Amino acid sequence: MTEIDKFIPTKNITLFRSCLVSAEYPGVESSTKYVFDKLGVEYVIDRNQSCCTGLGHYYDIFDELSTAALAARNFHYAIKNDHKQYVPMCATCYAILKSSAKLLNEKDEVREKVNKAFRENGLEEFQYDKGDIDVKNDITHVVDVLYYLRDKIPEHKKRDISNLIIATHHGCHYCKVHYDDTLCGYRNPEIIDKICEVMDAPALKWYDHKPRHCGGGFRQRYANRELSLDATEDKFLSLHKENVDVLLVMCPNCQLQFDRYQQVLEDRTGDKHYFAILNIAQLVALYMGADPYKVLGIQTHTVNVEPLLEKLGIDYNPEEDTLHVRK
C-alpha cells in the first residue's frame, strides 16, 4: 500500500485512549494532544470509551466475541458523535480495533451474536451494521497522522534536536498484523524514521534486530519472564553498540519493556549505556517546545530523561518552576 491509497484523517477524529498509556505514561497522551493542537488536528476524547481488551485478549481472558462486542460499543459512540475516525495511541489498540471491525464486517454469525446479546440486554443502540466502520480508512494510528502532516512539523520548531543519536522501534501490532495498512514498510519499518527526518534528527537507518519484537509479549513478560527478557536483550545490546541517546517507540507496551526493565537488562548483560525511551509524540512535542514535565510527563519514566534534556541544553529549576534552553 502507498500513502496515497490510505486515507489519513485530520478531522472528525476520536483519539482512542490507551489503558497502558493512562496507567504508565500519561505524558504520551498529553504530548499527542499538544502536537495535534499545534498541527490543527480536530479531535475529541470520548468519556464513554472502554478498553479495547488488548491486554485481556492476549492473556486469553477475553475471547474474540467479547472483544468484538466491546469494539461495536466503542464504534457506536464514535459514529454517534460524528467522529468515527478512530486514532489509537497504542499499536495493540490499533490492531485489536481493526481486527474487530473486520470480524464484524465479514462474519455474519459473529455480528448477529453480538447484536443478539445487545438486544437481549436492552442495549439495542449499540447494534452494529455491516460496514459501519471501514477497516482500512476509519482506523489509523497516531503515527499515520504525524506522518501525513510531517511537512508541517518544522513550522512549529522551538528546539534543536539534531545532535541526538536516535533509534526507532516500531510496534509489531502496527507492522505485523495488518500488513496492507502499514505505511513505510514492515520488514524494515521506517514511518517513525520519516517523521524524525523532517525535524533534522535522522534515525539510524538500520541496526541489528531493528524489526524484532520488544519481547514484552503481554503475559510472556510475567508468565515466561526469562524468555521475554531473552528476546529483549538482543535488541538492547544492539542499541548499546550504536551508542544511541534515545529509543523512539509508538506503543506503550514496548515503552514499558525497555523503560521499566532497562536496569534489569543491564544487570543481566553487564552492559551499561544510558539511553532514554520516548514515544514519537513525546519527541515531536519536545521539538515543538513542550514542557518535559507538564506535557511529556518524564517524571513517570523509570529511566531518567534528564540526561537527554541536558544534551539538548534544556535546564529546569523545579523550585522556581522555570524552563529554558541554554545558549
Side-chain angles (χ1 to χ4, degrees):
M1 170 176 290
T2 67
E3 62 180 282
I4 296 175
D5 297 326
K6 186 174 181 179
F7 172 68
I8 310 296
T10 58
K11 62 181 180 178
N12 300 328
I13 285 174
T14 293
L15 186 60
F16 192 84
R17 303 184 75 192
S18 157
C19 56
L20 268 183
V21 166
S22 297
E24 299 284 351
Y25 302 102
V28 172
E29 180 178 326
S30 52
S31 294
T32 301
K33 292 189 289 187
Y34 182 93
V35 172
F36 275 13
D37 290 343
K38 291 284 188 182
L39 296 176
V41 176
E42 191 273 322
Y43 65 92
V44 298
I45 292 177
D46 193 336
R47 64 184 297 273
N48 294 300
Q49 177 213 311
S50 72
C51 174
C52 76
T53 82
L55 290 174
H57 184 80
Y58 288 109
Y59 271 84
D60 290 335
I61 296 172
F62 281 87
D63 59 22
E64 280 193 308
L65 190 65
S66 301
T67 294
L70 278 171
R73 176 189 177 279
N74 283 327
F75 294 149
H76 160 78
Y77 284 114
I79 295 168
K80 179 181 178 181
N81 295 336
D82 196 27
H83 281 72
K84 67 178 277 187
Q85 303 295 337
Y86 248 24
V87 178
M89 292 175 276
C90 169
T92 298
C93 295
Y94 168 88
I96 286 282
L97 290 167
K98 276 185 173 287
S99 296
S100 295
K102 184 175 182 180
L103 197 63
L104 289 164
N105 287 340
E106 297 180 0
K107 300 294 183 181
D108 295 342
E109 65 275 19
V110 172
R111 186 171 63 254
E112 180 50 37
K113 284 182 179 180
V114 167
N115 287 338
K116 181 182 178 183
F118 286 146
R119 290 193 300 269
E120 289 177 347
N121 289 277
L123 301 171
E124 290 85 356
E125 64 176 316
F126 297 132
Q127 292 192 107
Y128 184 93
D129 292 328
K130 183 177 181 178
D132 273 353
I133 294 292
D134 184 317
V135 177
K136 179 185 293 185
N137 293 323
D138 288 340
I139 304 170
T140 54
H141 192 283
V142 165
V143 293
D144 293 325
V145 180
L146 295 180
Y147 175 71
Y148 182 73
L149 295 174
R150 65 194 183 281
D151 290 339
K152 292 186 176 181
I153 292 175
E155 297 174 10
H156 304 278
K157 177 182 178 179
K158 296 294 184 183
R159 297 188 178 112
D160 182 2
I161 61 171
S162 60
N163 64 331
L164 297 181
I165 301 174
I166 297 172
T168 60
H169 173 80
H170 296 74
C172 61
H173 284 180
Y174 176 79
C175 298
K176 300 177 182 179
V177 178
H178 301 283
Y179 295 104
D180 291 341
D181 293 347
T182 300
L183 297 181
C184 302
Y186 53 85
R187 295 190 185 280
N188 177 20
E190 292 186 315
I191 189 167
I192 300 178
D193 305 52
K194 298 294 185 183
I195 297 167
C196 290
E197 286 177 7
V198 302
M199 297 187 290
D200 294 322
L204 299 174
K205 289 293 185 183
W206 181 259
Y207 61 91
D208 284 346
H209 307 298
K210 180 182 179 183
R212 188 162 182 168
H213 191 283
C214 72
F218 295 96
R219 62 179 169 184
Q220 302 304 325
R221 179 186 289 130
Y222 308 107
N224 296 295
R225 185 172 183 269
E226 293 306 307
L227 178 65
S228 169
L229 290 171
D230 283 345
T232 311
E233 186 177 303
D234 288 338
K235 194 157 195 170
F236 180 76
L237 290 172
S238 294
L239 293 166
H240 282 201
K241 290 177 183 176
E242 300 290 348
N243 291 315
V244 301
D245 295 312
V246 59
L247 176 67
L248 294 182
V249 300
M250 56 183 288
C251 177
N253 198 47
C254 302
Q255 188 162 2
L256 191 154
Q257 186 73 0
F258 287 103
D259 178 55
R260 302 290 189 229
Y261 288 87
Q262 188 169 125
Q263 183 62 59
V264 175
L265 291 162
E266 287 184 352
D267 291 343
R268 278 171 60 103
T269 63
D271 197 338
K272 299 184 185 297
H273 166 73
Y274 166 86
F275 63 92
I277 298 88
L278 294 177
N279 182 281
I280 178 59
Q282 289 177 298
L283 186 69
V284 176
L286 189 67
Y287 171 84
M288 289 181 170
D291 188 296
Y293 298 86
K294 296 177 181 178
V295 178
L296 273 68
I298 64 169
Q299 65 272 26
T300 67
H301 292 220
T302 297
V303 176
N304 188 359
V305 182
E306 289 176 347
L308 187 74
L309 301 182
E310 291 173 5
K311 182 166 184 175
L312 294 174
I314 301 171
D315 289 330
Y316 182 74
N317 186 329
E319 294 182 359
E320 298 179 4
D321 194 23
T322 58
L323 185 74
H324 70 274
V325 178
R326 294 194 301 272
K327 300 297 184 183

